[in-house]
Amino acid sequence: MYMGMLRKDTNEISRVVRLNRKHMSDPDIVSGLVNRDEQAAAALFDKYNTKVNQLVWRLLGADSEHNDVVHAVFVHILTSVKNLKKPESLPDWITGIAINTVRREIRNRKYRKIFHLVSEYPEAGMSFASDGTQVPVKRVFSILGEMKTDDHIVFVLRFVERNTLGEIAASCGYSLATAKRRVHKAREEFIKRARKDAILSGLIKDVDHVF
Amino acid sequence: MSSDVKPFEELGMKVADALGAGPSEETVMLQRRDFLEQVSQSQRAPRYQRAAGIAAAAAVLAVVLGIIFKMNAKDPLPFWIGQERNPGAEGQWVRAESQALLPIRFQGGSEVALSSQAAARIITADTEAVRIDLASGKVSCSINGNRHTEWQIAAGPYTVHVTGTVFTTEWDPAHSKLDVAVSRGSVLVTGANLSAHGVQLAVGDHLRVDGEKALIALNPETESTAATEDEEPLSGPALLTVEPPVRENENLLDEPIPTPAPNRNGTVRGLRAPAQKAEPDGSDEENLDKMLATGDVESLWQIAMQARYNRNGGTAKTVLLTIRERFKDSKRAETAAFVLGRVFQELQGSPRTAAGWFRRYLDESPNGPLAEEALGRLFDVYDKAGDEASAARYADQYLALYPSGLFADSARQVLKN
């Protein structure tokens, strides 16, 4: 909370630091956005930036264009909010917009490879978990990039974000049965490609034994 | 069925852990400002929705063109003084006569506000650099860092280097006293009797320097305590005597101060223009992979420091861990443990992991050049993480070893609490 971070003798900073508006209700935010209220836009960002940032961050893998995609999500929210029939479903609706924005971004990249302007996937080959273990993040996202976009998204939602089938169904607009089928397919596609990777094949060898 | 998914769940957990939860707080601040700026601009258009789309498309196009044509022009950075928003000019003196704050607002959203009786001069104001000379008094700064413009506040013999920050600087020329406090982002303070490579301050850090008495205090007692003892903040609780640090083979501090790569464009959207430096700087993925696998330790060190300076915690972390793995017995590997603590503390928002790395440095280099700072930051990190027992334990250890050290005041405060 910005005001909460200020020290007593520096309260002058409040003039240049915006107030936190996390506590505006969703219906108020929606009606404010429809009426082009800037306070509502600030409240929207303050309340949902963590959720949107985490989702985009993990779906794209800490991508160099992360900020652009997050910006696109919030702009899309602004332009589409008038179509939201139930303001109380704002959180799920925002999740859906974030996922769709990422989906569009991934598809667009397949047509933009000619520019070589952006790196598609994380900045390093190996990343490290907080316990110091090496994690082949780039390899994982390279494989995801070879998969169909929907399979990529479903795989990350299920195994990285640890969403339930119900949550995946809700955010992607699937039935529960479809969500289950899509997760299974995403896993199969991942296995098929991971078997060819020297490091990842070791990680999923137990899956092979089960099969 | 559960055994089929377990390897994927484990892999997914590790990927999530390695990625973290999202970008840094500073990046989120930039996102927020960018978004609200667009909202504000679109409010002036007759069609809100269409303007938002056009503005977004125009902004993206401008950024892409900037990358393609490598726009490096240095343009004046307009600024306005006071509530009346009178246009300012380079070289102009500004003094806050009344009791109210006198704001100086720069294009792009940055603001420097002079407290009552403060006086400053805007030496330079362009898209490459903004340099302000604080003659006396206090300024409160909220800098909208864009990794393109270098901000400096000069206060007597000291300079505060800024990237994207909210902080205050106070300079008393009569007594050569400097006071810098950071509430968001980080700054580097150089000059006079400070370390040759300056003192880097992060969120919550507070530096007080008394040039006359050669006293330097980092994170002295809190404002609430000081304010009750003395109305004049700079003459509050006794400051510490610190010998100007003379550090031999000090791996961290004997590095040249990394300068931001100039003319990086479009960074508020996350896109970066190709760096002008010839050596790999981590922004080229293939080069970085190659460097990680085959680069020498010094080149990797430079990449890590640059990444850290650019607040790219992910790259800094990866390169430092690679140094520790590939060059296990080198001095850089030892220092990397300390720097990893700083990265996790300041860029990754993981105080416990940071504490782990400070402890590891102390285990590996108990008499190393950074041992005092590692111990000081260790109890500080535990304190900020709310682990009072660990904070007290290490604060006690610090005072036993360094009763007059840079962190002694903070250690006493932790024990008092």
Side-chain angles (χ1 to χ4, degrees):
Chain A
M1 180 167 179
Y2 298 120
M3 285 296 288
M5 288 178 70
L6 305 178
R7 298 183 350 262
K8 211 166 83 169
D9 72 340
T10 58
N11 55 9
E12 298 92 337
I13 294 174
S14 63
R15 300 208 182 180
V16 299
V17 176
R18 294 177 181 83
L19 295 175
N20 188 327
R21 302 187 194 286
K22 275 184 188 172
H23 301 298
M24 214 169 166
S25 72
D26 287 343
D28 286 343
I29 289 175
V30 170
S31 71
L33 292 176
V34 170
N35 292 318
R36 301 170 59 175
D37 177 17
E38 288 188 39
Q39 304 280 334
L44 168 76
F45 187 92
D46 290 339
K47 199 169 179 180
Y48 290 106
N49 79 81
T50 304
K51 177 193 187 71
V52 170
N53 265 298
Q54 178 170 317
L55 197 49
V56 174
W57 189 256
R58 290 185 175 171
L59 280 170
L60 290 179
D63 188 75
S64 61
E65 286 193 307
H66 173 84
N67 284 355
D68 263 342
V69 177
V70 167
H71 186 86
V73 170
F74 279 101
V75 169
H76 193 175
I77 292 170
L78 289 181
T79 57
S80 310
V81 72
K82 62 183 184 304
N83 301 325
L84 179 60
K85 299 284 185 280
K86 295 181 187 175
E88 58 274 11
S89 63
L90 183 65
D92 289 337
W93 184 73
I94 287 176
T95 301
I97 288 200
I99 289 172
N100 285 333
T101 305
V102 169
R103 183 182 281 120
R104 263 198 307 279
E105 175 64 21
I106 294 171
R107 284 182 181 150
N108 285 343
R109 286 179 181 191
K110 297 183 185 198
Y111 299 108
R112 281 187 350 207
K113 279 183 185 173
I114 191 171
F115 291 110
H116 300 293
L117 287 179
V118 298
S119 63
E120 294 182 6
Y121 293 113
E123 64 271 16
M126 285 285 192
S127 293
F128 292 84
S130 55
D131 63 359
T133 340
Q134 285 190 333
V135 184
V137 173
K138 182 179 176 184
R139 291 172 190 266
V140 169
F141 277 87
S142 284
I143 285 179
L144 292 173
E146 292 170 14
M147 290 161 52
K148 287 191 178 167
T149 305
D150 287 340
D151 293 339
H152 167 162
I153 287 174
V154 162
F155 188 94
V156 172
L157 288 177
R158 174 66 185 90
F159 297 113
V160 180
E161 280 294 279
R162 307 295 300 276
N163 282 181
T164 62
L165 287 176
E167 287 167 338
I168 293 172
S171 55
C172 295
Y174 302 149
S175 67
L176 201 56
T178 301
K180 191 173 176 182
R181 214 169 39 246
R182 290 282 173 111
V183 168
H184 181 77
K185 178 168 175 285
R187 199 175 72 237
E188 293 298 303
E189 291 295 319
F190 188 89
I191 291 171
K192 200 162 55 180
R193 289 165 178 81
R195 278 184 191 155
K196 300 174 193 168
D197 184 284
I199 291 179
L200 288 175
S201 58
L203 293 173
I204 59 161
K205 64 180 188 307
D206 291 337
V207 176
D208 285 345
H209 287 161
V210 169
F211 290 155
Chain B
M1 197 64 168
S2 61
S3 56
D4 293 353
V5 300
K6 197 160 182 284
F8 297 99
E9 287 182 344
E10 285 173 359
L11 176 63
M13 272 174 55
K14 284 195 176 289
V15 168
D17 191 23
L19 283 174
S24 66
E25 198 178 326
E26 197 169 277
T27 299
V28 173
M29 259 194 76
L30 294 176
Q31 290 174 355
R32 187 181 194 278
R33 288 182 182 186
D34 196 28
F35 172 63
L36 294 181
E37 197 174 300
Q38 179 159 343
V39 168
S40 178
Q41 285 172 4
S42 69
Q43 294 289 56
R44 298 181 205 122
R47 292 293 297 271
Y48 174 57
Q49 291 85 356
R50 183 183 298 170
I54 291 173
V60 170
L61 180 63
V63 167
V64 171
L65 286 174
I67 292 172
I68 292 174
F69 296 109
K70 298 183 184 180
M71 283 162 42
N72 291 332
K74 179 173 81 169
D75 296 318
L77 186 68
F79 60 95
W80 300 268
I81 300 171
Q83 302 296 346
E84 308 80 18
R85 300 181 74 91
N86 297 317
E90 283 185 344
Q92 181 171 355
W93 276 101
V94 183
R95 177 182 288 278
E97 303 284 358
S98 70
Q99 293 302 312
L101 280 181
L102 181 67
I104 306 173
R105 296 186 178 94
F106 292 82
Q107 187 180 68
S110 297
E111 184 169 325
V112 173
L114 274 64
S115 297
S116 175
Q117 303 306 313
R121 189 168 67 159
I122 316 302
I123 307 287
T124 308
D126 59 53
T127 49
E128 267 192 13
V130 175
R131 295 193 177 87
I132 298 172
D133 179 16
L134 176 60
S136 65
K138 182 174 180 178
V139 291
S140 305
C141 304
S142 174
I143 305 300
N144 185 4
N146 61 9
R147 302 189 200 285
H148 175 74
T149 307
E150 185 184 339
W151 289 76
Q152 291 180 4
I153 311 287
Y158 304 98
T159 304
V160 181
H161 305 262
V162 182
T163 50
T165 332
V166 175
F167 68 100
T168 60
T169 301
E170 186 160 3
W171 170 240
D172 175 4
H175 301 98
S176 293
K177 285 180 178 170
L178 176 74
D179 188 295
V180 183
V182 179
S183 39
R184 192 181 299 279
S186 67
V187 303
L188 177 72
V189 185
T190 61
N193 54 338
L194 299 176
S195 157
H197 300 289
V199 177
Q200 181 132 11
L201 306 179
V203 173
D205 281 342
H206 183 186
L207 177 73
R208 286 182 177 172
V209 182
D210 187 327
E212 277 182 352
K213 300 175 186 171
L215 300 177
I216 302 171
L218 183 63
N219 297 330
E221 291 184 20
T222 60
E223 301 316 303
S224 56
T225 308
T228 57
E229 291 182 7
D230 196 321
E231 286 181 10
E232 175 53 56
L234 282 177
S235 58
L239 299 178
L240 306 171
T241 300
V242 177
E243 291 294 328
V246 176
R247 295 179 177 175
E248 293 184 0
N249 301 320
E250 212 291 284
N251 290 320
L252 181 67
L253 298 185
D254 68 6
E255 292 311 308
I257 297 171
T259 52
N263 302 316
R264 298 195 137 212
N265 198 5
T267 52
V268 291
R269 301 293 180 91
L271 289 171
R272 294 189 296 273
Q276 292 187 347
K277 291 170 67 169
E279 60 272 22
D281 65 359
S283 63
D284 187 327
E285 230 178 274
E286 286 178 8
N287 273 346
L288 181 61
D289 282 348
K290 196 174 164 188
M291 285 301 291
L292 288 171
T294 62
D296 61 272
V297 67
E298 290 306 315
S299 300
L300 288 176
W301 185 257
Q302 291 300 326
I303 291 171
M305 293 305 105
Q306 185 70 47
R308 184 173 163 234
Y309 188 82
N310 290 339
R311 301 193 67 77
N312 189 340
T315 297
K317 184 178 72 172
T318 298
V319 179
L320 289 165
L321 286 166
T322 301
I323 288 172
R324 283 186 60 82
E325 195 176 310
R326 288 186 52 209
F327 306 99
K328 285 188 180 59
D329 299 321
S330 68
K331 289 209 71 115
R332 293 296 193 201
E334 281 179 19
T335 311
F338 173 86
V339 180
L340 278 161
R342 296 294 301 271
V343 167
F344 276 105
Q345 177 186 11
E346 293 159 10
L347 304 181
Q348 302 285 294
S350 302
R352 290 202 176 271
T353 309
W357 282 107
F358 289 136
R359 283 202 316 270
R360 192 169 303 189
Y361 177 84
L362 290 167
D363 287 342
E364 293 174 359
S365 316
N367 300 312
L370 297 164
E372 181 193 339
E373 191 173 346
L375 189 53
R377 291 197 179 273
L378 182 55
F379 73 72
D380 185 53
V381 133
Y382 276 125
D383 187 43
K384 288 189 169 71
D387 185 342
E388 293 177 1
S390 298
R393 181 167 73 248
Y394 289 110
D396 200 41
Q397 198 176 323
Y398 181 91
L399 284 173
L401 291 169
Y402 313 105
S404 303
L406 202 58
F407 294 84
D409 242 6
S410 299
R412 291 189 185 97
Q413 188 59 42
V414 164
L415 291 171
K416 192 189 287 188
N417 291 341

